[in-house]
Amino acid sequence: MKNHSDIKNRDIARIFDEVADLLEISGESFFRVRAYRNASRVIRDLSTPLSTIARSQNAKLEDLPGIGKDLAEKIQTIVETGDLPLRRELESELPVGLLEVMRIPGLGPRKAHRLFLELGITDPERLEEAARCGKIRELKGFGEKTEAQILEGIETLRSFGKRMLRADVEPIALSIIEHMKRLKGLEKIEIAGSYRRLKETVGDLDILVACRDPAGAMDHFVSFPGVRKTIAKGKTKSSVVTNPEIQVDLRVVGAESFGAALQYFTGSKAHGIAMRTIAQKKGLKLNEYGVFKGEKMIAGRTEREVYEAAGLPWIPPELRENRGEIEAALEGTLPELISLSSIRGDLHMHTDETDGRDSLETMASEAKKRGYLYIAVTNHTKRVAMAGGLDEQRLLKHWDAVEKLNAQIEGFHILKGVEVDILDDGTLDIEDAVLSKGDYVVASVHYNTNMSRSQMTRRIVRALSNPNVSALAHPTGRLINKRPPYEVDMEVIIATCAKFGVALELNAAPDRLDIDDTSCRSARQHGVKVSIATDAHNKGGLDFMRYGVYQARRGWLEKEDVINTLNFRLLNRFLKKRG
DNA sequence: GCCGTTTTCGGCCCGACTGTTTTCAGTCG
C-alpha cells in the first residue's frame, strides 16, 4: 500500500472542508457541518503535522480543540489511507461540481441542492446553460433577478476568484477612505475585516463609519467614482464592486456603537464567535451595536470598552484568529508585537552588481535616509546566471567595494553579504573559504524546486549545517497567487535553525511574505530568530519592510525575536555565535 | 459532531439585505 504518512495538514483540512460543504448541501445539521469546518481551521493553523501526532505515544489527536472521538478517528483514517470513506460516499451521492456552484455569489447550499434535484445541475457549466435558456426563473423561489445574478456571478468567479494582495488593495482602500471623509456629518471611519488584521491578501474591504446621516452615507458611498457596480444598498449597509475589481462593503452605525461594530466587523469570524460565547457565559449579549446586560447597553463606544466588558484586555486585530489570543489575553500573556519603528536595518537586498537596479551607494544612502543603522548587501551568486550572479572572484571584488564605501560613511554599516544558492545536493555554489570572509550569508533555493518533500528538506538542512550560513532566505519560495510553496517540512527546517543558530528570513516582498504567520509562531516557539528583510531590487523596494512587519505581527513576533531590531554591535554578536 | 464549576444531553453567535414573498427563506459576513 502507498505510504500516506507524510500527508499534509492542509490536505486533511481540505478533505474536511469538502465534507462540510457536501454535508451542508445534503441538508445535514448545521452544527455537524460547523464541526467539520472548525476542525478544518484548527488543522490548517497547526504547525505540527497531524501524521506525527497520530503516530505519537504521548500526544493525542483528541486533545486538539474541536477534535473529538469521531474526528480523531477520521484523521487517523486519512493519515493511514490518504482518504476518507465518508467523502467518497458523499461524492457518490452528490456531484462535486455543486461545490463550485455553491461558490457563486448569491447561491448557497440550499439553492445549489434544489438546482441539482429539480434541474439536474451538476456544475457551473450546466448552470450557465440553464440560466441562458431561462430555466432558472421558472423554479419556485427563484426569479429573473436571481437568474441574471447567477450569470453575472459565474463571470465574476471566472475573472477574479482570488484574493488580492494587500499591497494592491491599499491604494483603492485609501482612495475610498478619502472619498468618505468628505461626507458631511461623518464622525468616525475605519477599515475593518482582514485588511485591518493585516492579512497578506484581502478578499473584500469592510468599511465602517459612524455618522449622523446614515442614508446620506449610503448615497455618498455608492457615488464613489471607482464604483463599477452596486450590489446592495440598504439603510445601514451597502456593497459595491470597484474598478479594479474588489467588493467593498460599507456599514453605518451610531458613534455609541462604533467600538462594538469595529470589533464585530474586524473579525475573524472565529474570534468573533469565541468572544460572543465568552460574553454569553457572563450573561451578556455581544453584537455589532454593543455589549448588553438584558436590555441595558453597558459598552460599545470603543473596542477597548467592549473587550473589557467581556473581562479581557484589548487584543490587537492582527492576532484575532482564535488561535490562542483569547487564552493569552485572559492569562495576561499577549505578546508585545514588534513595530516598524523597532527595525534598525535591512538584511537582504540587491544592487546593480547583479539584478538590482540601483547602485551600492544609492541603496546605502536610501537605507540611511530611512533611519537604519546598517544593511547587508546580498547579491546573487553564479548559479543564478539569469541575474548575473557573482562567482568567487567577483564576489571578493564586490566586498572590497563595500569595505571602501563603509570607510566613507559615518554612523552606518554595510555588511558584506551574499545570497548564496543552495545546490540540488544542499551544498552551496560559492566556496567555503570565500564565504567565511563575508559578514552575512543568506542561503536560498532558486532552482530544481519540484523535488519531493523529503529531498527538499534534506537539501535545505544540509545547507543550514554549513557554518558560514547566517540565515535562510524566502524559505518556501512561494509567490502568493502565482506559485505554491515548495514541498518542504518547515518543522524540520525550524528545528534545524534552532540547532545551528541560523536565522529564518521573513521576506517582506508583498507577493512573497515568506515565511507565513504560522511559521513565524513556530520559529518563536523554538527560539529561532527571524530576519525581516525586503529583498529589495531597487531603492523603492526598501519600503516593503512594513509588509514584513505586518506579517511578523500576525505571527506573534516581539522585538526580541527579530535580529534586525538589534543595534550593530549586538547584531554582530549574534552573527559571531555561529560557526 | 463537539462540549461540559449548569458534563453524557441539549445546547451550539448574530443581524442586515435581497428576492420573491404576503410573512420569510436563503445568503452573506
Side-chain angles (χ1 to χ4, degrees), chain A residues 511-563:
Chain A
D511 60 343
R512 284 193 186 270
L513 293 171
D514 182 12
I515 49 183
D516 67 9
D517 51 359
T518 306
S519 290
C520 279
R521 275 188 86 175
S522 182
R524 175 175 151 88
Q525 278 158 8
H526 285 79
V528 171
K529 299 295 177 193
V530 171
S531 156
I532 308 177
T534 62
D535 200 354
H537 282 67
N538 55 58
K539 60 187 181 186
L542 294 171
D543 291 329
F544 292 157
M545 186 59 81
R546 68 191 171 96
Y547 298 112
V549 171
Y550 293 166
Q551 186 84 327
R553 290 173 65 89
R554 287 187 52 81
W556 293 54
L557 296 191
E558 300 189 332
K559 186 180 169 187
E560 288 67 31
D561 301 313
V562 176
I563 56 171

Side-chain angles (χ1 to χ4, degrees), chain A residues 187-470:
Chain A
E187 293 167 278
K188 285 179 178 165
I189 182 161
E190 283 282 349
I191 306 177
S194 55
Y195 188 92
R196 184 164 180 246
R197 300 203 311 279
L198 304 183
K199 278 201 78 166
E200 60 206 24
T201 60
V202 176
D204 59 16
L205 279 173
D206 299 294
I207 296 178
L208 183 68
V209 302
C211 175
R212 281 185 287 272
D213 173 20
M218 293 295 128
D219 290 337
H220 185 69
F221 175 60
V222 301
S223 78
F224 172 65
V227 169
R228 174 184 292 185
K229 189 177 68 179
T230 301
I231 300 173
K233 183 167 175 254
K235 285 199 189 85
T236 63
K237 192 184 157 188
S238 293
S239 296
V240 301
V241 173
T242 63
N243 187 14
E245 208 153 350
I246 186 161
Q247 183 171 327
V248 186
D249 299 334
L250 178 78
R251 184 64 185 256
V252 183
V253 295
E256 71 288 350
S257 296
F258 192 79
L262 189 56
Q263 197 282 328
Y264 188 93
F265 291 109
T266 296
S268 66
K269 194 169 180 169
H271 177 88
I273 289 173
M275 283 297 296
R276 287 190 286 279
T277 306
I278 286 177
Q280 206 182 36
K281 280 188 185 145
K282 287 180 168 288
L284 303 170
K285 190 177 76 168
L286 171 59
N287 61 26
E288 61 260 58
Y289 299 110
V291 184
F292 297 88
K293 190 166 208 161
E295 294 293 299
K296 190 169 179 282
M297 176 164 151
I298 60 166
R301 187 167 287 273
T302 67
E303 257 191 347
R304 195 169 295 275
E305 207 176 276
V306 170
Y307 279 95
E308 278 167 8
L312 293 164
W314 181 80
I315 298 175
E318 45 275 62
L319 298 184
R320 299 182 197 169
E321 300 287 345
N322 195 21
R323 294 196 283 213
E325 74 280 6
I326 290 175
E327 293 76 1
L330 286 167
E331 291 165 10
T333 57
L334 282 172
E336 195 163 312
L337 298 177
I338 183 173
S339 65
L340 186 58
S341 60
S342 300
I343 299 292
R344 295 279 170 266
D346 191 338
L347 296 172
H348 186 159
M349 68 187 64
H350 300 267
T351 69
D352 54 9
E353 185 67 26
T354 58
D355 63 344
R357 272 219 316 268
D358 289 313
S359 67
L360 176 62
E361 290 76 9
T362 302
M363 294 304 276
S365 76
E366 284 287 326
K368 201 174 174 213
K369 227 188 263 177
R370 285 165 174 75
Y372 291 161
L373 303 175
Y374 51 83
I375 55 172
V377 172
T378 53
N379 275 307
H380 287 293
T381 50
K382 57 192 177 191
R383 191 186 189 203
V384 190
M386 219 174 64
L390 307 172
D391 60 16
E392 279 82 356
Q393 294 312 312
R394 280 181 66 203
L395 179 59
L396 287 170
K397 236 179 108 186
H398 178 54
W399 280 347
D400 282 343
V402 168
E403 278 190 344
K404 252 182 220 149
L405 183 60
N406 243 337
Q408 295 167 20
I409 310 181
E410 295 252 326
F412 187 82
H413 294 89
I414 310 172
L415 289 144
K416 286 179 289 177
V418 62
E419 180 179 5
V420 67
D421 188 76
I422 300 175
L423 298 169
D424 299 5
D425 63 355
T427 58
L428 307 175
D429 76 333
I430 294 290
E431 288 169 22
D432 285 340
V434 172
L435 288 180
S436 66
K437 294 193 168 80
D439 301 317
Y440 190 75
V441 175
V442 287
S444 59
V445 167
H446 295 99
Y447 296 108
N448 201 4
T449 54
N450 49 4
M451 17 173 87
S452 75
R453 186 178 169 85
S454 54
Q455 275 179 313
M456 182 60 92
T457 306
R458 259 203 310 278
R459 174 182 179 183
I460 296 176
V461 165
R462 182 166 179 199
L464 295 176
S465 72
N466 184 316
N468 293 310
V469 172
S470 322

